[in-house]
Amino acid sequence: MSAPDVVYGMLTALFGAATVHALRHSVLSWSSGWLSRGDHLLHTVMALAMTVMPWHWGGEQSPQRQTVFFAAAALWFPLTALLGRRWPGSADLVRRPPDAVGMAAMAAMAWMPVRHGGYTDVRTGDAVTGVLTLCLLACALRSLTRDMPALRGASGSTVMSTSISGPCDRFWQGSTAMGTAIMLLMHH
């Protein structure tokens, strides 16, 4: 077994577990309103797509359809923060970008086969990949270190909280952000 196959296997296990976690949240949030249901269903679809992605880069779906779907999903999070119960300037606008960045990374990974086919400038793809990877790594670091006791006293530690509530949920968000960053770089 080659080293990439080992990494692909670990990513498949991570995103398979994340799919179960997201599906569980989808089922449990069914009575909590359409915004929450939409969030959890998009997370479930993304985790499921990421589960099979290491083995089927692009799959049988057209890259254009995947790009459009995940780009729309990336827009869902900031737009629903604006349309939700709270007005702009609320904490929702701060909490939702990590979700949007993950979906944008999925759109970028679907877009890359098109890019390699000669439809777009390589430098643009490199810049998009770099920015998304840095954002994903920042989100992962924030989610995974938020509950460390030595960091609790840091100023602003609650301002940039993620859209999830408990340490277990922050672990999942941080782990999937890290896995997405790895897949984005491997796919690139």
Side-chain angles (χ1 to χ4, degrees), residues 87-102:
W87 291 100
S90 73
D92 273 355
L93 289 177
V94 174
R95 287 186 220 133
R96 296 184 67 81
D99 299 322
V101 169

Side-chain angles (χ1 to χ4, degrees), residues 7 10-19 21 43 46-47 50-51 98-99 102 109 133 135-147 162 164 166-184:
V7 174
M10 290 187 313
L11 290 170
T12 299
L14 168 69
F15 287 111
T19 301
H21 178 76
H43 283 120
M46 180 184 168
M50 295 287 281
T51 301
D99 299 322
M109 284 185 269
T133 301
C135 290
L136 286 166
L137 292 174
C139 292
L141 183 64
R142 176 70 185 135
S143 292
L144 294 171
T145 62
R146 180 159 180 246
D147 294 315
T162 58
I164 45 188
C168 182
D169 289 334
R170 282 189 289 278
F171 165 78
W172 281 110
Q173 177 147 7
S175 297
T176 56
M178 182 68 71
T180 305
I182 292 167
M183 284 183 66
L184 187 60

Side-chain angles (χ1 to χ4, degrees), residues 46-122:
M46 180 184 168
L48 184 59
M50 295 287 281
T51 301
V52 298
M53 187 178 282
W55 308 105
H56 305 285
W57 295 103
E60 296 176 9
Q61 293 291 324
S62 76
Q64 291 85 2
R65 276 190 254 163
Q66 290 180 23
T67 302
V68 168
F69 175 80
F70 286 112
L75 292 173
W76 164 268
F77 292 99
L79 290 177
T80 55
L82 292 172
L83 299 173
R85 288 169 255 153
R86 301 179 183 133
W87 291 100
S90 73
D92 273 355
L93 289 177
V94 174
R95 287 186 220 133
R96 296 184 67 81
D99 299 322
V101 169
M103 295 295 174
M106 286 294 293
M109 284 185 269
W111 171 62
M112 282 180 199
V114 173
R115 179 176 70 90
H116 290 299
Y119 296 111
T120 60
D121 181 27
V122 172

